[in-house]
């Protein structure tokens, strides 16, 4: 192969490893064949199912950069502008006796220049003449390809899709357009836009996890089914992972805009009692208004009781800063500081957990993998309703004997019926997942034959 014979144009923000792969394709060679031009340090990170991960990145020394420029037929200055990792130095290959050798060192994109996503193949073909896979550094607020109506997926996940079709959900592309205005507001406020997005994304991703239990939630299910190609079908759990970020983007942008609004911060201050501190209540004006801004008038009380979540952490920092009672500047009184434990799990990590749960199988399977989301929701609803019936019995022991007895018996009988149904639903799910009937019967304190008859009758009624 004569280097530089065929020109390979880089994409803006492209991974260096992605450009090498496309250059190899120009010469009809495997990427491994072209990588022999360099001395490789370490091996690329691989997927659990085998093969190199799409977000595997390389960093080069000076000699290695010269080789890449010659291979692609593009000047180093152009490559430096286009490739975020091109100028990244690694002391282990850029110094010492072997520095004169053309060397590469394998890393993951996230440790080099940030989040990596698949590029739109149609756009790649239009700009480079190659309808080939490419990977770019793209923050989550730039994942919409407006030209082709696509959401560009994370490149670090072990799953086959590169993009999701957004043509049925124009509000997602509209949200990305609105983000530019939120960015300007953040800059005027002296805040990093990336920090604002990260916090808003953490808040809304937390809501997403709870949304299965929200009876009044109608927006996200419809949006998810459209993103899934019409209907998520029986693979709802996987689609909730893969489709989460595009589906929640409109709410993320709305929440980010709200958190930057001084009027909203003032509502937090008033809810806290201002100069006369009081605990934040479930019917506070801030959370109520925040629910309205995401087109869910009923969401306020649910958001207000998410203790330990990123939203209340932000509210607490706003209050402390206003009272001047925070810690050192840039620490506890920084509303935009998102603790690591509050950062939402990525698509890749969620898929790994789901895959591990599915592989366990039988009685060793994970509950969330073995039991459908709908079944879990029905079970939790029965338990919650039973709990509500029992809570209403507090302080009921006053009044006539007939009044107290009737109240107690009515509520207890309703609770018992709900608990009985929850018991049957739990047993049915466990048996269906492969747990031995005898074990389930022992835990339920029922004879195995009686439990089998109950499950059969319940199935027939269902």
């Amino acid at each position: 192969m004569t280097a530089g014979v065929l020109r390979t144009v880089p994409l803006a923000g492209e991974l260096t490893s992605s450009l090498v792969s496309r250059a190899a394709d120009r010469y009809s060679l495997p990427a491994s064949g072209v990588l022999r031009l360099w001395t490789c340090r370490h091996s690329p990170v691989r997927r659990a199912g085998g093969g190199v991960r799409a977000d595997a990145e390389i960093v080069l020394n000076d000699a290695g950069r010269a080789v890449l420029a010659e291979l692609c037929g593009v000047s180093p200055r152009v490559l430096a502008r286009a490739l975020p990792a091109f100028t990244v130095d690694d002391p282990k290959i850029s110094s010492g006796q072997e520095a004169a050798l053309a060397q590469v060192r394998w890393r993951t994109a996230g440790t080099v220049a940030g989040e990596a996503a698949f590029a739109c193949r149609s756009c790649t073909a239009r700009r480079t003449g190659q309808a080939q896979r490419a990977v770019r550094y793209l923050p989550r607020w730039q994942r919409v390809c407006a030209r082709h109506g696509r959401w560009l997926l994370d490149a670090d996940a072990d799953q086959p899709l590169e993009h999701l079709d957004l043509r049925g959900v124009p509000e997602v592309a509209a949200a990305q357009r609105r983000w530019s205005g939120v960015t300007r507001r953040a800059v005027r406020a002296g805040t990093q836009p990336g920090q604002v997005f990260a916090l808003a994304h953490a808040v809304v991703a937390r809501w997403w996890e709870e949304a299965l239990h929200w009876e009044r939630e109608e927006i996200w299910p419809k949006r998810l089914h459209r993103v899934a190609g019409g209907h998520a079908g029986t693979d709802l759990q996987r689609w909730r992972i893969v489709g989460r970020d595009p589906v929640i983007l409109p709410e993320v942008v709305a929440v980010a805009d709200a958190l930057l609004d001084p009027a909203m911060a003032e509502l937090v201050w008033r809810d806290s009692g201002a100069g006369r501190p009081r605990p934040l209540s479930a019917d506070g004006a801030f959370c109520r208004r925040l629910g309205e801004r995401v087109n869910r008038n009923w969401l306020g009380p649910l958001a207000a009781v998410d203790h330990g979540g990123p939203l209340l952490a932000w509210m607490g920092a706003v209050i402390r800063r206003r009272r001047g009672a925070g810690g050192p500047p840039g620490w506890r009184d920084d509303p935009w500081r998102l603790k690591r434990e509050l950062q939402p799990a990525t698509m890749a990590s969620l898929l790994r957990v789901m895959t591990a749960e599915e592989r366990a199988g039988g009685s060793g399977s994970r509950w969330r993998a073995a039991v459908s989301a709908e079944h879990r929701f029905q079970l939790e609803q029965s338990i919650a309703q039973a709990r509500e019936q029992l809570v209403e019995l507090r302080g009921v022991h006053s009044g006539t004997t007939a009044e107290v007895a009737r109240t107690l018996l009515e509520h207890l009988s309703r609770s018992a019926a709900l608990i009985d149904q929850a018991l049957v639903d739990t047993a049915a799910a466990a048996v269906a997942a492969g747990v031995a009937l005898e074990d389930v019967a022992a835990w339920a304190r029922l004879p195995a034959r009686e439990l089998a008859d109950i499950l059969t009758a319940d199935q027939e009624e269902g």
Side-chain angles (χ1 to χ4, degrees):
M1 180 187 72
T2 302
V5 172
L6 299 176
R7 191 167 186 263
T8 307
V9 180
L11 293 169
E14 188 174 8
L15 271 65
T16 305
S17 59
S18 172
L19 177 61
V20 170
S21 294
R22 291 197 300 107
D25 184 68
R26 284 282 194 196
Y27 292 95
S28 300
L29 292 172
S32 58
V34 172
L35 283 168
R36 292 172 185 166
L37 295 170
W38 296 271
T39 299
C40 294
R41 300 296 183 182
H42 298 292
S43 298
V45 63
R46 294 183 173 273
R47 303 192 307 266
V52 178
R53 250 172 51 173
D55 69 328
E57 176 63 301
I58 56 175
V59 293
L60 307 163
N61 62 359
D62 285 338
R65 295 180 187 110
V67 169
L68 180 62
E70 185 179 0
L71 172 69
C72 296
V74 178
S75 73
R77 183 177 300 176
V78 171
L79 294 179
R81 285 199 303 266
L83 309 178
F86 186 73
T87 56
V88 173
D89 280 319
D90 189 316
K92 293 186 178 180
I93 60 174
S94 60
S95 60
Q97 296 180 349
E98 297 183 348
L101 299 176
Q103 298 185 71
V104 302
R105 185 175 177 85
W106 286 101
R107 305 268 289 275
T108 57
T111 65
V112 178
E115 300 170 337
F118 293 106
C120 172
R121 289 206 183 209
S122 298
C123 290
T124 300
R126 184 173 61 87
R127 294 169 186 168
T128 70
Q130 290 177 281
Q132 185 189 358
R133 189 187 81 175
V135 184
R136 300 171 60 198
Y137 289 101
L138 279 177
R140 221 161 290 277
W141 56 84
Q142 292 180 355
R143 295 294 181 85
V144 177
C145 172
R147 179 183 293 272
H148 301 104
R150 295 171 175 174
W151 176 269
L152 308 176
L153 287 166
D154 293 346
D156 62 345
D158 192 359
Q159 59 88 33
L161 299 176
E162 294 183 14
H163 70 267
L164 299 178
D165 191 343
L166 298 181
R167 287 175 294 181
V169 284
E171 63 269 29
V172 178
Q176 180 165 290
R177 291 193 296 271
R178 289 198 306 274
W179 174 251
S180 59
V182 179
T183 297
R184 291 191 294 271
R185 173 175 281 188
V187 172
R188 289 196 299 269
T191 305
Q192 293 290 332
Q195 286 186 298
V196 176
F197 186 91
L199 179 61
H201 183 261
V203 170
V204 182
R206 183 107 165 183
W207 293 347
W208 175 258
E209 292 302 314
E210 300 296 326
L212 280 175
H213 315 308
W214 294 348
E215 295 182 359
R216 301 178 67 179
E217 177 56 48
E218 298 179 352
I219 298 174
W220 281 341
K222 294 178 181 178
R223 199 179 290 162
L224 179 62
H225 288 314
R226 292 188 185 121
V227 165
H231 200 282
T234 58
D235 206 9
L236 179 61
Q237 184 178 358
R238 182 177 296 275
W239 276 112
R240 276 184 55 80
I241 294 173
V242 175
R244 179 193 67 183
D245 289 341
V247 169
I248 68 174
L249 184 67
E251 287 73 22
V252 171
V253 174
V255 168
D257 189 51
L259 298 184
L260 286 167
D261 189 345
M264 294 293 284
E266 182 64 26
L267 292 179
V268 174
W269 176 241
R270 292 179 185 175
D271 288 342
S272 71
R276 298 180 178 180
R278 64 170 182 262
L280 295 170
S281 65
D283 60 347
F286 168 78
C287 286
R288 185 169 61 251
R289 180 63 184 131
L290 185 63
E292 293 171 356
R293 291 182 74 147
V294 295
N295 298 317
R296 293 164 176 82
N297 296 337
W298 45 266
L299 180 58
L302 297 175
V305 297
D306 183 18
H307 302 292
L311 181 61
L312 265 67
W314 178 87
M315 295 169 67
V318 168
I319 295 167
R320 287 193 300 273
R321 173 177 283 188
R322 188 72 175 266
R323 289 177 181 160
W331 186 58
R332 292 180 69 246
D333 61 341
D334 181 4
W336 308 108
R337 178 178 176 270
L338 181 63
K339 296 180 181 178
R340 180 179 295 274
E341 60 268 24
L342 295 180
Q343 296 173 7
T346 64
M347 178 178 72
S349 62
L350 291 171
L351 287 174
R352 283 195 295 270
V353 170
M354 190 185 76
T355 300
E357 292 176 345
E358 290 175 344
R359 287 176 179 170
S363 60
S365 62
R366 304 293 294 180
W367 179 260
R368 290 177 64 88
V371 183
S372 69
E374 293 84 358
H375 198 141
R376 296 198 309 271
F377 174 73
Q378 293 172 359
L379 180 59
E380 291 176 2
Q381 284 293 100
S382 296
I383 295 172
Q385 291 171 10
R387 185 185 301 115
E388 291 173 2
Q389 292 292 326
L390 294 174
V391 167
E392 291 181 9
L393 293 178
R394 291 178 180 174
V396 76
H397 300 282
S398 60
T400 66
T401 302
E403 290 172 344
V404 173
R406 183 186 67 183
T407 302
L408 282 169
L409 291 172
E410 286 180 349
H411 283 73
L412 288 171
S413 64
R414 292 188 192 125
S415 297
L418 290 165
I419 291 173
D420 285 343
Q421 187 59 52
L423 184 148
V424 172
D425 290 343
T426 303
V431 171
V435 182
L437 177 66
E438 291 74 13
D439 290 338
V440 176
W443 300 332
R445 298 184 179 181
L446 289 171
R449 183 177 296 277
E450 181 179 343
L451 178 60
D453 292 340
I454 292 173
L455 295 180
T456 300
D458 185 72
Q459 186 176 11
E460 291 175 351
E461 290 178 4

